[in-house]
Amino acid sequence: MALRAGPFIPRRKEDALLSADGGELSERHREIQTKIIELLHQIERCVTEGTPLIIRRKPRWETCTIENGILQTIDQSQDGRTIRPGNARRLQLMVQLLATIYQLLTTGTSCTKRELYYLHLDLAQTPAYTYATLDDVCALLDADTWEMNVFNTSKGLIAGPMVLTLSDGQIIDCNGRWGTTVPLDVGSVVDIRLTAQLVLVVEKDTVFKRLLEDGILTKFPETFLLITAKGYPDVSTRLLLKKVSERTNVPIYALMDADPHGIEIFCVYKFGSLAMVHQQRSLAVPSMRWIGLFPSDIELLGLQGVPLRETELKRIEQMIRRPYTEGHIQRELLLLRQLATKVEIESLYNIASDFLTTVYLKGKLKECRKSRSWECVMMR
């Protein structure tokens, strides 16, 4: 098998400036490039000498624990599955991906995972095959995709009094009427100016848009920064939220549906996901607090829901056994299982058109102030 790189299509010239901040990450880029060369030699030995590549095994819930509020694997063994010389297509695709990544780091350019797939259609065949091979590359290099200038397509939106400065001097004002897209390369954010008193992460873009339509930012000026990832959070949105949590002292809250999916999304933001357990320190926000919608609110507020499906009941059983499920999260999951009913945030609008903003959120934030030793914000 010839170790050759596939064709590379550079991105726009202005995107060449989308590098991460400062010399520290430039040093990281050089470190990754050194590892790429070493890995190419390993692949060559795999082909010529029959030495298999060993990929760390995928994490399992039973081998995870919570450390400092973040999901971590306790299985540090590198004795996982292997890629052998006979898997020529996989090895050739790895070589091409490594060559592309090396060029991205050298030129300071970037691409999305989807673009990476289209660059190597001759070997990839399907996006899933490319992404799985990229995961192998990340494991072998012990590097995250965003460190290699390969990004997921950003789907998150931000709205509120925050201004981001990128490494190329670009200024992003997030105070737009309908929200601003989360930057693709959050690593290029070198400065954050945030004047809001709190960050509210909303599960769905429908609620995000409704809050903006109801004028929450004008009714409560300098109070909210709204963020949504339109469902299950993408990496860019999680990276930005992590950066906000590290660079500001602003409390971060989560507003999710009272169903297994909503609770799981909150847990991904706060603790991290199983699939990305090796990257949690860059993504998880352990200080984040869940303020609703709670299953315990369903009967309290007389909300109308729909029955949980069998698959959702099974998901609750799985979630109850996870290492982060204790205390309040556990009680709410057990109650959700008992009620066997799920309710969306939008159901609060059936009580009154302004109930969510002027009653529900205000009450939940007031409870935060009473229950925490550190200061929480309460709207006036």
Side-chain angles (χ1 to χ4, degrees):
M1 180 184 70
L3 301 183
R4 60 179 182 84
F8 174 71
I9 302 173
R11 306 195 68 182
R12 300 185 309 272
K13 183 178 180 181
E14 56 267 28
D15 287 341
L17 296 172
L18 291 177
S19 57
D21 38 289
E24 181 180 347
L25 205 53
S26 295
E27 180 61 35
R28 176 61 173 155
H29 284 178
R30 288 192 289 271
E31 179 185 339
I32 293 173
Q33 285 181 318
T34 300
K35 288 184 175 182
I36 288 174
I37 294 172
E38 293 172 353
L39 180 53
L40 287 170
H41 287 311
Q42 290 181 41
I43 295 174
E44 188 172 26
R45 288 194 296 272
C46 177
V47 174
T48 59
E49 302 173 14
T51 306
L53 293 176
I54 300 177
I55 312 289
R56 67 187 177 205
R57 62 166 60 101
K58 292 184 177 181
R60 296 162 293 153
W61 284 113
E62 54 267 30
T63 63
C64 289
T65 186
I66 297 294
E67 295 181 8
N68 299 319
I70 297 176
L71 187 69
Q72 296 287 300
T73 179
I74 56 177
D75 182 9
Q76 300 298 330
S77 172
Q78 297 297 316
D79 185 19
R81 62 186 181 82
T82 59
I83 298 180
R84 300 186 178 278
N87 198 340
R89 184 162 69 96
R90 187 79 158 208
L91 289 171
Q92 182 65 67
L93 180 56
M94 287 180 68
V95 170
Q96 293 196 13
L97 293 180
L98 288 166
T100 299
I101 292 166
Y102 193 95
Q103 188 171 356
L104 290 174
L105 297 177
T106 299
T107 59
T109 51
S110 63
C111 72
T112 65
K113 291 173 67 174
R114 188 74 179 179
E115 288 172 323
L116 204 61
Y117 158 65
Y118 282 112
L119 288 174
H120 305 295
L121 280 174
D122 56 329
L123 289 168
Q125 296 184 3
T126 65
Y129 190 80
T130 301
Y131 304 156
T133 306
L134 181 62
D135 288 342
D136 290 344
V137 167
C138 290
L140 289 164
L141 295 176
D142 193 21
D144 302 320
T145 54
W146 58 88
E147 292 182 302
M148 302 184 294
N149 287 2
V150 177
F151 305 103
N152 289 299
T153 302
S154 177
K155 61 177 182 172
L157 294 172
I158 332 160
M162 182 171 74
V163 177
L164 306 175
T165 303
L166 307 187
S167 57
D168 63 353
Q170 181 184 352
I171 303 295
I172 299 177
D173 187 346
C174 304
N175 220 357
R177 183 179 179 186
W178 303 116
T180 303
T181 304
V182 171
L184 187 65
D185 180 9
V186 176
S188 66
V189 176
V190 295
D191 184 62
I192 297 175
R193 284 184 287 145
L194 176 62
T195 57
Q197 295 174 317
L198 63 92
V199 176
L200 182 64
V201 180
V202 182
E203 177 185 346
K204 300 178 297 188
D205 61 327
T206 52
V207 177
F208 177 88
K209 292 175 181 176
R210 177 65 185 268
L211 288 170
L212 293 177
E213 288 173 358
D214 291 345
I216 190 172
L217 299 183
T218 54
K219 290 178 182 177
F220 307 101
E222 305 300 311
T223 300
F224 288 101
L225 176 73
L226 299 181
I227 296 180
T228 184
K230 303 178 184 178
Y232 196 89
D234 58 286
V235 169
S236 294
T237 303
R238 292 178 65 191
L239 283 170
L240 180 63
L241 195 64
K242 177 71 171 182
K243 186 164 283 194
V244 169
S245 73
E246 290 178 335
R247 298 194 181 186
T248 73
N249 294 319
V250 175
I252 300 174
Y253 302 105
L255 182 64
M256 307 284 157
D257 286 338
D259 64 12
H261 188 65
I263 298 173
E264 186 167 39
I265 287 175
F266 163 70
C267 291
V268 168
Y269 277 116
K270 182 178 178 68
F271 304 107
S273 65
L274 180 66
M276 304 188 73
V277 70
H278 296 285
Q279 293 98 346
Q280 304 304 23
R281 296 190 188 280
S282 301
L283 296 169
V285 183
S287 64
M288 188 177 190
R289 294 200 66 195
W290 180 27
I291 61 169
L293 184 67
F294 299 141
S296 55
D297 291 327
I298 296 175
E299 291 186 328
L300 181 66
L301 298 174
L303 302 175
Q304 295 297 314
V306 297
L308 289 170
R309 299 190 300 271
E310 187 64 32
T311 55
E312 292 171 320
L313 289 168
K314 289 181 179 178
R315 175 58 61 89
I316 293 175
E317 296 299 326
Q318 295 169 354
M319 292 175 66
I320 288 172
R321 295 192 294 270
R322 294 177 185 175
Y324 51 63
T325 304
E326 58 182 13
H328 181 237
I329 295 175
Q330 184 180 57
R331 291 192 298 272
E332 293 293 341
L333 278 170
L334 291 173
L335 179 58
L336 186 64
R337 182 179 64 179
Q338 178 183 332
L339 296 172
T341 300
K342 61 182 179 180
V343 175
E344 295 183 323
I345 301 165
E346 291 91 331
S347 65
L348 295 173
Y349 291 113
N350 295 329
I351 301 175
S353 60
D354 62 347
F355 185 83
L356 175 58
T357 53
T358 61
V359 179
Y360 188 82
L361 287 174
K362 183 175 182 177
K364 294 298 182 180
L365 294 169
K366 185 176 182 179
E367 290 175 14
C368 284
R369 186 175 184 180
K370 290 180 178 179
S371 63
R372 301 287 295 204
S373 59
W374 46 269
E375 182 179 3
C376 282
V377 176
M378 182 181 72
M379 293 183 297
R380 295 177 177 84

